[in-house]
């Protein structure tokens, strides 16, 4: 066993060493390159393909996963015909079935009648067509009981081991799309499974791999929280602004009604190719947004003929024009835990029910709001003891910025000390500074157009 571990470690080191030889790009360069790809293929193919629901039975037998004609080359050709630049495959969905040869669990394609490594065949097929390769991975895993309030250190180790396999065994991965994490329906927080740890693991294995979480339902559109790319799932009601978006973004939609294949798919029309081009690809590309269209292979492992025909028509109607407009400079993503979350707070007089607790409740839809009668409103959070931190983020409530000028202080040894003194710009204000130690942090609002409101007050101790 010891020899096996040593050999595996050397194998991983060899692969990660090869990625280290690649030119390391800045995050903004990677974001721009992602947006320049413009259009790609999402491929929802996993054990739910063989059931009637997108959320599969977590105890479904691997025996049902047995495509008779799996042909990833057909997928890649269909993507190429559509003018797509990349693919993204569901390596593991919410029910935990792995479609690669993993060493972490028996619940995988290895123990199915099919046996073959689907991730490997997908990567090879798309690479041969000159297409970039991305992978989808679900943090939520109902088979392995990786669910809210049940997460163990072993679960976190499994996640890290599985991501290590995916990022060291299949060549260069352009991006990793994460799902089932800090969503209202998954309820697994970035503290339960520490986001910063996973983020740095991904970057250590492949420095040029973007990590994006499908979390646009929760976080404000004006800043990147826990993702390198702002990611919108249209079917979940997440819609990017086609006029005002300034962040690198992704918008996804299935060409059918569902994400995974259903028996009626071959006999009913898919979404209109013209609509995909004119209402999605073209307008999204104008606002720094890449569009990814899901195409679900059937139980034989092939894309249905009606979907193949629609993709060809998209390729006829639309051509990739290459580089997109330059993305405006933006602060680096917030990736650390908010140490102010749920901590005791105080404030000047609030308005009606909008009291201080709403400003650090981890919900951006609620706010502390100052009573209009208060001339110099303030809000304060008590960290409980002196802690190190080096970043503060203030997200205003409402749709527009009201705060014009403010200053932030921290308490050290019972003395308030200045931290930030700014003329505010934008609804989300992120400040990074040299690490300080304090047990309280306070914002005082010196000027505001109307009674100010704070949706979330974040304090972070970032790794740098």
């Amino acid at each position: 066993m010891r020899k096996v571990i040593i050999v595996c470690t050397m194998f991983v080191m060899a692969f990660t060493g090869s990625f280290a030889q690649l030119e390391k790009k800045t995050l903004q360069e990677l974001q721009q390159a992602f947006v320049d790809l413009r259009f790609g293929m999402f491929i929802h193919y996993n054990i739910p393909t063989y059931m009637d629901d997108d959320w599969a039975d977590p105890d479904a037998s691997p025996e049902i996963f047995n495509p008779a004609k799996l042909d990833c080359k057909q997928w890649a050709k269909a993507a190429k015909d559509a003018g797509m630049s990349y693919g993204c495959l569901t390596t593991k969905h919410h029910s935990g079935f792995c479609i690669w040869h993993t060493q972490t669990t028996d619940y995988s394609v290895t123990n199915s009648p099919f046996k073959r490594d689907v991730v490997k065949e997908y990567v090879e097929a798309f690479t041969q067509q000159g297409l970039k390769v991305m992978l989808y991975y679900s943090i939520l895993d109902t088979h392995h009981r990786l669910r809210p309030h049940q997460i163990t250190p072993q679960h976190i180790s499994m996640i890290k081991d599985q991501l290590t396999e995916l990022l060291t065994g299949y060549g260069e991965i352009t991006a990793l799309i994460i799902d089932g994490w800090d969503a209202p329906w998954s309820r697994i927080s970035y503290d339960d499974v520490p986001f910063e740890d996973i983020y740095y693991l991904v970057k250590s294995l492949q420095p040029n791999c973007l990590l994006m979480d499908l979390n646009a339902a929760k976080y404000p559109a004006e800043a990147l929280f826990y993702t390198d790319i702002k990611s919108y799932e249209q079917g979940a009601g997440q819609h990017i602004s086609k006029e005002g978006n300034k962040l690198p973004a992704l918008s996804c939609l299935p060409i059918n009604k569902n994400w995974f294949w259903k028996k009626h798919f071959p006999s009913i029309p898919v979404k209109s190719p013209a609509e995909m081009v004119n209402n999605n690809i073209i307008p999204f590309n104008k606002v720094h947004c890449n569009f990814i269209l899901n195409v679900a292979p059937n139980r034989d492992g092939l894309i249905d003929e009606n979907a193949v025909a629609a993709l060809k028509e998209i390729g006829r109607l639309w051509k990739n024009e290459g580089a997109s407009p330059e993305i405006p400079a933006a602060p680096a993503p917030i990736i650390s835990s908010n140490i102010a979350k749920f901590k005791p707070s105080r404030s000047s007089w609030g308005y009606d029910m909008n009291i201080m607790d709403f400003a650090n409740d981890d919900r951006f839809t609620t706010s502390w709001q100052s009573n209009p009668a208060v001339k110099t409103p303030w809000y304060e959070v008590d960290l409980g003891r002196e802690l190190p931190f080096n970043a503060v983020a203030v997200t205003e409530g409402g749709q527009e910025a009201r705060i014009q000028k403010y200053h932030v202080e921290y308490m050290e040894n019972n003395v308030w000390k200045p931290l930030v003194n700014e003329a505010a710009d934008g609804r989300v204000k992120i400040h990074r500074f040299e690490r300080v130690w304090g047990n309280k942090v306070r914002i005082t609002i010196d000027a505001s157009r109307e009674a100010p409101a704070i949706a979330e007050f974040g304090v972070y101790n970032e790794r740098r």
Side-chain angles (χ1 to χ4, degrees):
M1 178 60 71
R2 186 170 181 269
K3 288 183 179 179
V4 171
I5 293 171
I6 291 171
V7 170
C8 289
T9 302
M10 292 175 64
F11 178 76
V12 170
M13 289 174 64
F15 266 96
T16 55
S18 67
F19 292 124
Q21 301 303 314
L22 297 173
E23 179 188 356
K24 185 177 179 181
K25 298 180 180 179
T26 67
L27 179 58
Q28 188 161 3
E29 287 173 333
L30 294 170
Q31 291 167 331
Q32 184 68 54
F34 174 80
V35 171
D36 289 347
L37 292 174
R38 292 184 178 269
F39 181 37
M41 178 184 282
F42 220 160
I43 306 161
H44 273 63
Y45 179 69
N46 203 289
I47 210 164
T49 304
Y50 300 88
M51 309 193 78
D52 293 328
D53 298 290
D54 279 1
W55 284 55
D57 177 355
D59 297 315
S61 171
E63 291 292 323
I64 68 175
F65 190 91
N66 192 20
K69 302 176 183 177
L70 180 80
D71 185 2
C72 295
K73 291 181 180 179
Q74 186 231 16
W75 307 354
K77 184 179 184 304
K80 192 78 171 180
D81 288 346
M84 293 168 167
S85 301
Y86 66 92
C88 183
L89 174 65
T90 52
T91 63
K92 186 182 81 165
H93 201 249
H94 307 323
S95 57
F97 188 76
C98 300
I99 57 173
W100 76 96
H101 289 163
T102 180
Q103 300 299 311
T104 63
T105 177
D106 292 335
Y107 199 57
S108 76
V109 68
T110 308
N111 292 303
S112 75
F114 185 65
K115 304 293 184 189
R116 285 152 46 190
D117 187 328
V118 181
V119 174
K120 179 175 182 290
E121 295 188 22
Y122 150 75
V123 169
E124 290 176 349
F126 274 69
T127 301
Q128 286 169 7
Q129 285 285 353
L131 302 170
K132 298 290 186 182
V133 171
M134 304 182 192
L135 302 175
Y136 165 107
Y137 178 89
S138 174
I139 293 291
L140 178 70
D141 184 333
T142 53
H143 176 82
H144 296 95
R145 310 302 186 252
L146 202 167
R147 304 179 306 206
H149 315 300
Q150 300 186 51
I151 295 169
T152 66
Q154 290 73 30
H155 283 136
I156 295 172
S157 293
M158 183 187 74
I159 291 169
K160 291 180 178 180
D161 290 344
Q162 289 181 346
L163 291 177
T164 298
E165 289 177 340
L166 291 169
L167 294 173
T168 58
Y170 300 96
E172 187 174 4
I173 305 302
T174 297
L176 184 67
I177 296 181
I178 300 289
D179 198 8
W181 203 3
D182 203 43
W185 46 267
S186 76
R187 305 179 307 283
I188 299 172
S189 78
Y190 294 133
D191 301 319
D192 297 331
V193 176
F195 186 90
E196 194 169 38
D197 287 359
I198 302 300
Y199 188 89
Y200 276 102
L201 172 66
V202 170
K203 301 297 181 175
S204 71
L205 296 171
Q206 293 212 33
N208 290 337
C209 179
L210 291 163
L211 189 151
M212 60 189 83
D213 194 6
L214 294 170
N215 65 9
K218 176 175 179 177
Y219 293 95
E222 294 88 349
L224 294 172
F225 284 84
Y226 308 101
T227 188
D228 286 333
I229 302 290
K230 198 72 180 174
S231 305
Y232 297 85
E233 184 179 336
Q234 292 188 48
Q238 302 167 24
H239 298 290
I240 189 170
S241 169
K242 294 181 180 179
E243 294 79 32
N245 178 63
K246 297 180 180 179
L247 294 173
L250 170 76
S251 181
C252 58
L253 190 71
I255 197 169
N256 303 97
K257 183 178 180 180
N258 306 91
W259 292 100
F260 284 97
W261 188 84
K262 301 292 179 286
K263 293 176 183 177
H264 60 269
F265 277 10
S267 59
I268 62 172
V270 298
K271 291 186 174 75
S272 160
E275 180 183 326
M276 295 300 97
V277 171
N278 297 319
N279 295 349
N280 292 276
I281 304 174
I282 292 175
F284 289 159
N285 285 176
K286 289 179 179 178
V287 288
H288 319 294
C289 183
N290 185 321
F291 179 57
I292 184 168
L293 180 64
N294 185 71
V295 182
N298 59 34
R299 292 177 183 176
D300 280 335
L302 298 172
I303 297 173
D304 291 329
E305 291 182 4
N306 57 350
V308 169
L311 292 171
K312 276 188 178 178
E313 179 64 8
I314 290 174
R316 188 187 70 80
L317 295 172
W318 178 81
K319 302 300 178 186
N320 190 330
E321 298 176 355
S324 302
E326 185 175 349
I327 304 168
I334 293 287
I335 63 172
S336 303
S337 293
N338 179 9
I339 61 176
K341 184 170 64 174
F342 304 138
K343 293 295 175 66
S345 58
R346 300 172 58 237
S347 73
S348 55
W349 184 21
Y351 182 67
D352 203 352
M353 63 163 281
N354 302 313
I355 58 177
M356 68 288 293
D357 308 279
F358 288 125
N360 66 335
D361 61 354
D362 198 36
R363 292 190 296 168
F364 288 81
T365 54
T366 60
S367 302
W368 163 74
Q369 184 172 8
S370 172
N371 191 288
V374 179
K375 300 301 181 184
T376 309
W378 57 270
Y379 170 83
E380 172 188 307
V381 63
D382 187 342
L383 302 178
R385 58 190 175 90
E386 288 201 349
L387 296 173
F389 57 94
N390 55 10
V392 169
V394 181
T395 302
E396 293 192 51
Q399 299 301 311
E400 297 180 355
R402 297 179 180 180
I403 299 173
Q404 296 169 301
K405 191 174 180 182
Y406 60 95
H407 63 276
V408 180
E409 305 163 284
Y410 71 102
M411 179 177 281
E412 182 183 33
N413 295 326
N414 294 318
V415 176
W416 285 106
K417 297 184 177 181
L419 193 59
V420 175
N421 194 344
E422 296 274 337
D425 183 27
R427 196 171 75 93
V428 182
K429 310 157 208 321
I430 298 174
H431 300 283
R432 291 179 163 96
F433 40 83
E434 293 298 317
R435 185 170 282 106
V436 299
W437 286 73
N439 66 312
K440 293 182 180 181
V441 189
R442 177 171 68 190
I443 179 171
T444 302
I445 298 159
D446 303 304
S448 179
R449 276 188 285 273
E450 299 176 47
I454 295 177
E456 280 298 308
F457 188 81
V459 180
Y460 311 91
N461 186 31
E462 298 181 330
R463 297 182 200 174
R464 296 182 198 159

